[in-house]
Amino acid sequence: MAQANLSNILSAAAVDLAPYEDLYKHFHSNPELSLQEKSTSEKVAAHLSALQSFEIHTNIGGYGLAGVLRNGDGKTVLLRADMDALPVQEQTGLPYTSTVTMRDQDGIEKPVMHACGHDMHMTCLLAAAETLVKNTHAWSGTLIVLFQPNEERGGGAQAMVNDGLYSKIPRPDYVFGQHVMRLRAGSVASRPGTIMAAADSMKITLFGRGGHGSLPHQTVDPVLLAAHVVVRLQSVVSREVDPSDLAVLTVGSLKAGQTENIIADRAEIGIDFRSVKLETRDKMLGAIQRIVRAECLASGSPREPVFTPTRRFPPTSNDADVASQLAASFSSHFQHFDGDTQRTNVSEDFSTLATCDGIPSCFWFLGGVDPRVWDQAQGVDHLMDQIPGNHSALFAPVIQPTMRAGVDALCIAALTFLTK
């Protein structure tokens, strides 16, 4: 289908987004943590049911669900959104601010916030579903709208696949997804090849020998050991990874002890490291293990450290041919489209839905920053630094034009391949 026709199709049967703005505020005010997205999933399923066009499959890999719309012969396109929120105390001050708390997997009560835009992702996909239902005369094939749980912990896509996703719904010919990012609202950005890095997280338990704070010579202090490990890990990227490569290592948590005058018997470090190349990931993992073991030996630790993986995200790589076709469609439709955006160290498990069966896929970024704020901050470092990004307690995408661009991007992507 010629790119020039796609915009005309959307404008001829545009959906009123006012109800979807209310739906977005509902999702934002009622977030749910990973693996607990029950009410969110039910709300999505109810909305799809009201469209009276989708065959709906629920409880896939947890609270995941998918709607299938069969509209004659043609390709099968899957559009994906994620549903889970984060354990963050919202500080946006919005009228629809989340005040929700939930118990996490460890039973600890946490504040919950959609601090990564998944509320916008769901809303855009539901609005896109209605738009494509209203335009069935203009396309032919099968549309799948998939709502994935547990993206933040990196397990949702794999759980859906492991639960027989493509035995429950048709195997797609193409898989597409998007993510709200710290970019100008109304803009869309993508690139061929790797667009997001792989990410690994782990907890490292270091063992000491506890005792009284006044008798340190009778102990092995795991706090001092952990401090050495934290400092030494900073050299992994700066001294062991090629400067032209993409890599990040962050120590995100350090826990040890209960009170001031007692030397604990163990410490726990939480680390996150990201890479694009598999060989770089392997090099970083080897360096982490080598440094930790060497510091334990140097400190006289009585036990070997324990490495416990907690999350693993694959890299996200866009199929070059598909990305090229989408770039032509996006360039024709959007005033602000970047077809060669920079790779990011942010990570997603989206690609598992495609790589599990060799399916071509493409992922793009959706701007969420108020255009006036973005334009005023251009070239002014301290203003740009003040714009909250994903996972911030202040993260709040401007509803429009973010939503309109997100709906259009999903529809344009589907229509590019669902040809008569």
Side-chain angles (χ1 to χ4, degrees):
M1 190 175 291
Q3 280 85 23
N5 294 332
L6 302 184
S7 297
N8 294 335
I9 291 172
L10 295 186
S11 61
V15 169
D16 179 11
L17 292 185
Y20 286 97
E21 293 182 12
D22 291 337
L23 182 62
Y24 166 76
K25 293 174 183 177
H26 169 83
F27 284 138
H28 189 88
S29 298
N30 296 276
E32 294 179 299
L33 291 174
S34 305
L35 302 173
Q36 301 183 57
E37 311 93 338
K38 182 176 185 293
S39 295
T40 302
S41 180
E42 290 172 350
K43 184 75 171 178
V44 169
H47 190 94
L48 282 180
S49 296
L51 296 178
Q52 298 181 341
S53 298
F54 286 90
E55 161 196 317
I56 301 173
H57 302 263
T58 60
N59 299 315
I60 308 173
Y63 291 112
L65 73 148
V68 180
L69 171 54
R70 303 175 195 271
N71 187 37
D73 296 333
K75 298 293 186 180
T76 298
V77 169
L78 186 153
L79 305 176
R80 172 268 199 179
D82 35 15
M83 299 189 292
D84 54 332
L86 288 159
V88 173
Q89 177 73 61
E90 182 165 358
Q91 299 176 21
T92 63
L94 291 166
Y96 48 93
T97 291
S98 168
T99 57
V100 170
T101 62
M102 298 183 77
R103 292 191 181 277
D104 66 11
Q105 290 176 278
D106 297 323
I108 301 171
E109 194 79 11
K110 297 281 183 68
V112 188
M113 175 191 175
H114 269 300
C116 201
H118 297 188
D119 44 358
M120 183 63 73
H121 302 167
M122 290 184 285
T123 308
C124 287
L125 185 49
L126 289 170
E130 181 180 350
T131 303
L132 292 167
V133 166
K134 295 179 80 172
N135 283 284
T136 50
H137 63 279
W139 59 273
S140 180
T142 298
L143 172 69
I144 300 168
V145 290
L146 182 144
F147 296 82
Q148 180 201 309
N150 194 24
E151 184 277 330
E152 295 294 354
R153 302 302 303 170
Q158 190 64 58
M160 293 188 79
V161 169
N162 291 347
D163 198 20
L165 175 64
Y166 295 137
S167 65
K168 302 174 191 291
I169 66 172
R171 176 191 181 276
D173 295 298
Y174 306 99
V175 175
F176 299 129
Q178 63 184 3
H179 205 297
V180 176
M181 298 290 276
R182 192 172 171 270
L183 299 168
R184 190 182 194 273
S187 68
V188 173
S190 191
R191 63 174 288 121
T194 301
I195 187 170
M196 290 189 291
D200 292 79
S201 298
M202 69 169 65
K203 292 181 179 178
I204 304 171
T205 305
L206 308 171
F207 297 96
R209 187 167 59 246
H212 200 287
S214 66
L215 302 170
H217 59 290
Q218 296 177 358
T219 71
V220 174
D221 189 345
V223 174
L224 184 60
L225 165 57
H228 283 296
V229 169
V230 169
V231 172
R232 188 61 185 267
L233 286 176
Q234 307 311 307
S235 69
V236 172
V237 172
S238 65
R239 291 297 178 268
E240 300 195 40
V241 175
D242 187 326
S244 65
D245 199 0
L246 212 68
V248 172
L249 190 154
T250 296
V251 178
S253 66
L254 197 167
K255 302 174 184 176
Q258 301 296 326
T259 191
E260 301 91 333
N261 66 339
I262 298 175
I263 293 174
D265 63 356
R266 67 185 61 196
E268 181 184 273
I269 298 174
I271 68 169
D272 176 271
F273 60 100
R274 296 167 187 253
S275 57
V276 170
K277 299 177 182 177
L278 181 61
E279 55 268 32
T280 302
R281 175 193 178 270
D282 292 342
K283 177 183 285 188
M284 293 177 71
L285 180 59
I288 291 165
Q289 293 174 338
R290 184 192 74 237
I291 287 169
V292 171
R293 290 193 172 106
E295 291 293 351
C296 287
L297 181 63
S299 293
S301 179
R303 290 176 56 187
E304 282 287 305
V306 174
F307 301 89
T308 306
T310 54
R311 296 190 302 175
R312 184 175 183 187
F313 292 87
T316 301
S317 294
N318 290 337
D319 180 88
D321 180 59
V322 172
S324 175
Q325 293 185 66
L326 285 186
S329 296
F330 286 162
S331 295
S332 177
H333 183 79
F334 292 105
Q335 181 181 357
H336 300 282
F337 172 68
D338 181 0
D340 190 28
T341 193
Q342 291 185 338
R343 292 178 302 183
T344 176
N345 280 326
V346 171
S347 300
E348 258 270 8
D349 67 347
F350 156 85
S351 63
T352 298
L353 298 171
T355 58
C356 68
D357 201 20
I359 303 167
S361 66
C362 192
F363 197 84
W364 58 87
F365 300 143
L366 179 68
V369 179
D370 187 321
R372 292 170 299 177
V373 173
W374 182 265
D375 294 344
Q376 290 172 1
Q378 290 302 299
V380 185
D381 289 346
H382 75 276
L383 290 178
M384 188 61 71
D385 290 343
Q386 291 172 15
I387 297 175
N390 303 67
H391 290 213
S392 165
L394 299 172
F395 183 73
V398 62
I399 296 179
Q400 298 295 0
T402 306
M403 185 181 296
R404 172 53 67 190
V407 174
D408 285 2
L410 291 168
C411 292
I412 291 289
L415 291 171
T416 298
F417 295 91
L418 294 175
T419 56
K420 286 277 190 181

